[in-house]
Amino acid sequence: MVDASPITAVLGPTNTGKTHRAIERMLSHDSGMIGLPLRLLAREVYDRVSIQVGEARVALVTGEEKRVPRRPDYWVCTVEAMPVDLEVDFLAIDEIQLAAHDQRGHVFTERLLLSRGRRETWFLGADTMRPLVAELVPTASIVQHPRLSRLASAGAGKLSRLPPRSAVVAFSTPQVYEIAERLRAQRGGAAVVLGALSPRTRNAQVALFQSGEVDYLVATDAIGMGLNLDVRHVAFAALRKFDGRAVRDLDPAELAQIAGRAGRHLADGTFGTVAPLSLPDGVAFAIEAHRFPPVRRLLWRSSELDMSSIDALLASLRARPRVRSLRLVDDAEDTAALARLAEDPEVRARARGEEAVGLLWEVCRIPDFRKLLFESHVALLAEIYGQLSGPTAALDAGWMAARVAEIDEVGGDIDTLITRIASIRTWTYISNHARWVRDAAAWQERTRAIEDRLSDALHERLVQRFVERGGGAARRSRAASGARSSPGAPSTQRRAEAEPPAVPEGHPFARIAALRARLAPGPAAPALEDDRARWVEELVGAPHERFSVDVGGRIFDGERLLGQLARGPTLLLPDVRLAALEDLGAGARSRVLRRLVAFARDLVEALLAPLRSPEVRALPGAARGIVYQLEQGLGTAAARDAEEQVAELAPEGRALLAARGIEVGERVLYVQPLLRRGALERRLALCAAWFDRGRVPACPAPGAVSMAVAPGVDPKAYAAIGYPVFGTRALRADVAERVLRALASGEPAERLSGWMGCSAREAPRVAASLLG
């Protein structure tokens, strides 16, 4: 598109009103479109614009949501989802500095080079983009506005002494949880904002903070992109993050983007660190003065794609830019998916001709919201393409319904719900492609309703875990009375802790307690024979999902304790002891016991499903030997114990194992899906039955990469839950291999302490054991 209309680059620090000015400018035109970096921010801007002009005139378009009235005048979109062929009078792109982002940058660069409004175009972003905007868009007029409020450094401060209306920023989910729990204990609670939260959950959490129910917010850098919050102080609890490739230091411009959330509009703000952490020399001054090195190169990918064949498409995606300030994106997720599917003979057979190749490219652009195993994502894409390129040219409704139904479950902990929300986003994205599904509107409504239910459940879990009811008010009341804050409850409590302690036999009140138990109402303690019989029949015929097991191996029906996993012939064949069912007859107890033993077998089968699929069992001999070792270790094995099989493993066998999530490392063999939270808890339950009492590790915190080795705990038990012991730490298997690779490349152990989840002082001992 020719730069015939005026182009303005509005560049500068945070809180200069860039986005607000762009919205007002857009509404002064008859039509307009604004591209935003986040789905959350797009929804926020959509709400703002809709309030001003009405929903009938505004369209919202993101990857997972499309609200398009009959004749919209204004389009609010995520940058990736912008309908670029649509002509509007005014067009704006926000946070244009993301053109330098490793994964998303090429999309922002394409918009910078090619997207224009008929009458006016605006690019909004950091001042670090000034030289490249001047070079690549020489007709652009660059303007800058002063920050509306002052941003000043406050140095380091203890978490317990942070001022109210503070946001504490960390860069890993476990650290966010840990800080939020400390604030609950010390200050009444905190709201939590993570990038993985849905807009509904994020808004509910922000509402806690904005309303003053809590005075603190704990977040990742998800708050750094234009989300408007009543934050007066930003405190960094970490200065390093994992960016998808490696753990690295944040550069000063990135820190400034986040620190700039403090002091919105005309209110001054401060930033600092949580002691003992401190900012490197010169960084605080750079943030205060808004002075940072300019961006040198932008990510790029050709927009002229050749759809004549898969190979031609791949070649056009790999074409190199002719401008030195542009760099070809070399690891884009959609290109990687296309390259992987290109190896599939069936996909190649179907993708013949421009239309079929174009469809394949559309499918490859389905985002991997789950971020679990790339092979799993590619397998899903292959299935989707197979159906869309088939005779019906649409997804099978029954197949899709079964996949969606698996996600529609509001039980589970915070991490489980976040995972389900990520999963439903995939189906929401798919349902918004009307050509792919029959009755697309109904599917969109269904997936949106599921996300809403999951979001509400997630908000409840976050409040239960991180907020002391009364929050800020309760904290202020305690402070006024001089009372010390009592420690918060542990993040994960066993159900039994909420129950009154059992009265020992022979105690003077034992008979009263027994009478009270018999008279207690509820289906979990039937008082009449008919009720007992009905309950037993229901229990014996119940599906696997009715029962649950905790990390101690206790089996529950809802809230009622039924039994306990006990040591059996092997780790994989636990027995069961009944508990608290003395009111049942011998026959009924026997039937319940059989059902619970069957549940225990189902538990093991479900846990080891990744190792027991027909595809895995059909693997060559050496690969099957590795699978056997992994089964015996509940998904983890020491490489030295499988040296013979590993030595015989051909490259093709290794690839087949990797495609199923089975990783053959230098020190550890492990199954990636069995490191997830739900699998970890089931592994602990089986360990509680097999290993002697007191020799089983505690349950790791969600997302924990390591644990300190506790005295008396059997090292085999650590390995059996996926945390083999190296020196003084039990490292999660995948982390151990990642650290080992970094050490082998010459990375100092001290710099990897964050990866290991230990102190820099402890890191060399762990590294020495890992290398030994």
Side-chain angles (χ1 to χ4, degrees):
M1 185 177 291
V2 179
D3 294 351
S5 60
I7 301 174
T8 302
V10 185
L11 306 178
T14 55
N15 195 28
T16 58
K18 294 186 292 290
T19 307
H20 172 76
R21 295 172 194 274
I23 292 170
E24 294 302 310
R25 189 67 176 177
M26 179 177 74
L27 295 180
S28 71
H29 289 274
D30 293 333
S31 64
M33 182 186 303
I34 183 168
L36 299 147
L38 298 174
R39 178 191 182 198
L40 297 171
L41 187 54
R43 184 53 192 261
E44 186 176 292
V45 171
Y46 170 80
D47 291 340
R48 288 174 57 187
V49 175
S50 297
I51 289 172
Q52 294 188 61
V53 301
E55 290 187 358
R57 298 184 63 195
V58 189
L60 173 66
V61 181
T62 70
E64 306 101 279
E65 189 172 12
K66 288 183 174 64
R67 296 189 177 195
V68 183
R70 291 184 62 185
R71 286 187 293 272
D73 295 320
Y74 305 106
W75 296 73
V76 180
C77 317
T78 51
V79 172
E80 285 86 348
M82 293 174 69
V84 292
D85 295 332
L86 180 69
E87 290 193 355
V88 291
D89 290 340
F90 175 88
L91 185 139
I93 307 294
D94 200 8
E95 305 292 2
I96 196 64
Q97 74 274 6
L98 287 177
H101 190 276
D102 282 345
Q103 279 290 326
R104 305 176 65 196
H106 63 282
V107 180
F108 284 79
T109 301
E110 181 178 315
R111 303 292 184 264
L112 177 69
L113 297 176
L114 300 176
S115 295
R116 302 291 184 266
R118 279 191 301 247
R119 297 181 180 274
E120 192 172 8
T121 302
W122 279 26
F123 297 115
L124 321 172
D127 194 54
T128 54
M129 284 289 292
R130 182 185 293 263
L132 284 182
V133 169
E135 175 191 343
L136 299 172
V137 191
T139 60
S141 172
I142 299 177
V143 300
Q144 185 173 16
H145 299 283
R147 183 178 163 90
L148 298 174
S149 63
R150 181 172 173 267
L151 186 62
S153 172
K158 292 183 178 180
L159 190 68
S160 60
R161 295 182 181 176
L162 285 181
R165 318 311 296 162
S166 288
V168 184
V169 180
F171 299 101
S172 72
T173 300
Q175 190 179 18
V176 167
Y177 292 169
E178 187 265 336
I179 292 169
E181 287 179 328
R182 288 170 60 190
L183 285 172
R184 182 185 192 273
Q186 297 171 359
R187 313 302 290 270
V192 170
V193 173
L194 305 168
L197 299 186
S198 65
R200 189 181 180 102
T201 305
R202 195 275 306 186
N203 290 341
Q205 286 291 301
V206 168
L208 283 175
F209 178 75
Q210 296 289 76
S211 68
E213 185 167 354
V214 294
D215 279 332
Y216 301 91
L217 178 75
V218 188
T220 61
D221 47 351
I223 66 167
M225 285 293 171
L227 300 179
N228 294 308
L229 303 167
D230 181 23
V231 173
R232 298 173 192 168
H233 178 72
V234 169
F236 291 96
L239 301 174
R240 293 168 60 79
K241 67 177 287 187
F242 179 67
D243 63 4
R245 294 179 175 178
V247 176
R248 63 171 179 83
D249 294 325
L250 274 81
D251 63 48
E254 291 175 306
L255 294 172
Q257 184 75 27
I258 300 166
R261 295 304 106 194
R264 305 309 295 159
H265 195 50
L266 299 178
D268 291 341
T270 57
F271 66 93
T273 58
V274 176
L277 189 69
S278 61
L279 290 171
D281 292 343
V283 170
F285 173 78
I287 294 174
E288 289 179 331
H290 318 299
R291 294 178 185 172
F292 310 104
V295 174
R296 298 296 183 186
R297 301 182 80 183
L298 304 183
L299 275 294
W300 177 90
R301 185 168 73 185
S302 175
S303 59
E304 298 177 1
L305 301 182
D306 185 347
M307 300 290 180
S308 59
S309 70
I310 293 179
D311 292 331
L313 175 56
L314 282 169
S316 59
L317 288 167
R318 292 165 178 164
R320 298 205 167 268
R322 298 176 182 176
V323 179
R324 293 186 63 183
S325 55
L326 301 179
R327 178 171 66 87
L328 175 66
V329 57
D330 56 5
D331 58 353
E333 188 179 89
D334 48 11
T335 304
L338 177 65
R340 189 68 60 86
L341 288 176
E343 300 170 1
D344 187 329
E346 184 176 344
V347 171
R348 277 195 171 273
R350 289 175 177 269
R352 297 184 183 277
E354 289 193 1
E355 185 176 346
V357 174
L359 174 62
L360 177 60
W361 179 234
E362 278 192 83
V363 170
C364 288
R365 299 187 74 180
I366 297 173
D368 183 13
F369 294 112
R370 297 173 298 169
K371 302 296 182 187
L372 299 174
L373 283 173
F374 185 63
E375 288 75 13
S376 173
H377 178 63
V378 171
L380 175 63
L381 299 184
E383 178 70 23
I384 291 170
Y385 182 68
Q387 294 188 33
L388 293 178
S389 60
T392 61
L395 295 178
D396 178 78
W399 173 81
M400 190 167 169
R403 300 296 292 266
V404 169
E406 293 173 354
I407 306 167
D408 191 7
E409 168 57 56
V410 297
D413 60 13
I414 291 171
D415 294 328
T416 299
L417 290 169
I418 287 176
T419 299
R420 289 188 189 131
I421 288 172
S423 296
I424 200 62
R425 289 179 69 187
T426 300
W427 299 105
T428 303
Y429 181 96
I430 291 169
S431 68
N432 273 284
H433 286 68
R435 293 181 290 109
W436 293 1
V437 294
R438 297 185 180 89
D439 198 5
W443 278 109
Q444 292 162 18
E445 182 178 348
R446 180 175 179 182
T447 56
R448 187 163 53 247
I450 292 173
E451 181 175 319
D452 288 347
R453 286 195 291 274
L454 293 171
S455 299
D456 292 342
L458 177 57
H459 173 63
E460 290 175 6
R461 301 295 193 286
L462 290 168
V463 170
Q464 288 169 4
R465 182 168 174 182
F466 301 124
V467 178
E468 178 182 340
R469 273 307 183 185
R475 183 198 60 76
R476 286 187 289 271
S477 175
R478 287 195 303 272
S481 63
R484 293 175 61 89
S485 299
S486 60
S491 60
T492 305
Q493 291 184 333
R494 296 181 178 179
R495 273 170 284 212
E497 291 176 356
E499 301 170 358
V503 179
E505 188 175 351
H507 190 280
F509 296 113
R511 292 181 62 187
I512 297 175
L515 177 63
R516 184 176 295 164
R518 286 199 299 272
L519 296 177
L528 303 174
E529 286 297 329
D530 288 346
D531 293 333
R532 291 194 186 99
R534 189 160 44 246
W535 178 74
V536 169
E537 289 300 324
E538 290 176 357
L539 195 74
V540 170
H544 177 93
E545 292 73 24
R546 174 160 174 170
F547 307 102
S548 61
V549 62
D550 69 7
V551 295
R554 298 183 302 171
I555 304 171
F556 291 88
D557 171 30
E559 296 296 318
R560 185 176 188 184
L561 177 64
L562 298 177
Q564 171 81 46
L565 294 178
R567 188 182 179 95
T570 69
L571 176 61
L572 304 184
L573 293 173
D575 282 337
V576 174
R577 291 196 307 267
L578 293 183
L581 296 178
E582 290 79 7
D583 56 338
L584 298 180
R589 286 171 58 85
S590 177
R591 295 183 69 198
V592 171
L593 179 61
R594 286 199 302 268
R595 180 65 190 89
L596 296 186
V597 171
F599 166 75
R601 301 293 179 266
D602 291 342
L603 182 75
V604 175
E605 190 65 33
L607 175 67
L608 298 180
L611 297 171
R612 294 182 172 180
S613 67
E615 297 84 3
V616 171
R617 294 202 179 279
L619 291 171
R624 286 202 309 274
I626 289 172
V627 169
Y628 174 79
Q629 295 269 17
L630 288 168
E631 278 192 348
Q632 300 310 301
L634 296 183
T636 312
R640 65 175 178 273
D641 295 336
E643 287 180 357
E644 184 177 338
Q645 293 93 337
V646 172
E648 295 176 2
L649 187 64
E652 306 83 53
R654 187 182 291 265
L656 289 170
L657 289 172
R660 288 154 181 82
I662 301 169
E663 301 293 336
V664 180
E666 292 295 321
R667 294 296 307 274
V668 188
L669 316 179
Y670 63 93
V671 185
Q672 188 71 45
L674 299 191
L675 297 178
R676 298 173 192 158
R677 187 68 185 176
L680 168 63
E681 292 174 350
R682 292 194 292 273
R683 293 168 81 169
L684 269 167
L686 293 171
C687 287
W690 177 253
F691 292 94
D692 292 338
R693 187 174 182 179
R695 308 226 349 129
V696 181
C699 183
V705 298
S706 74
M707 296 182 288
V709 175
V713 175
D714 194 325
K716 292 180 181 178
Y718 280 114
I721 67 168
Y723 285 72
V725 172
F726 295 100
T728 57
R729 306 293 296 182
L731 285 182
R732 202 174 67 201
D734 57 340
V735 173
E737 286 297 319
R738 184 155 61 91
V739 170
L740 184 61
R741 289 193 294 272
L743 291 169
S745 68
E747 192 76 17
E750 292 82 355
R751 294 187 61 181
L752 299 174
S753 60
W755 291 17
M756 303 181 203
C758 65
S759 66
R761 179 179 297 178
E762 189 180 5
R765 294 197 298 273
V766 178
S769 177
L770 194 56
L771 290 167

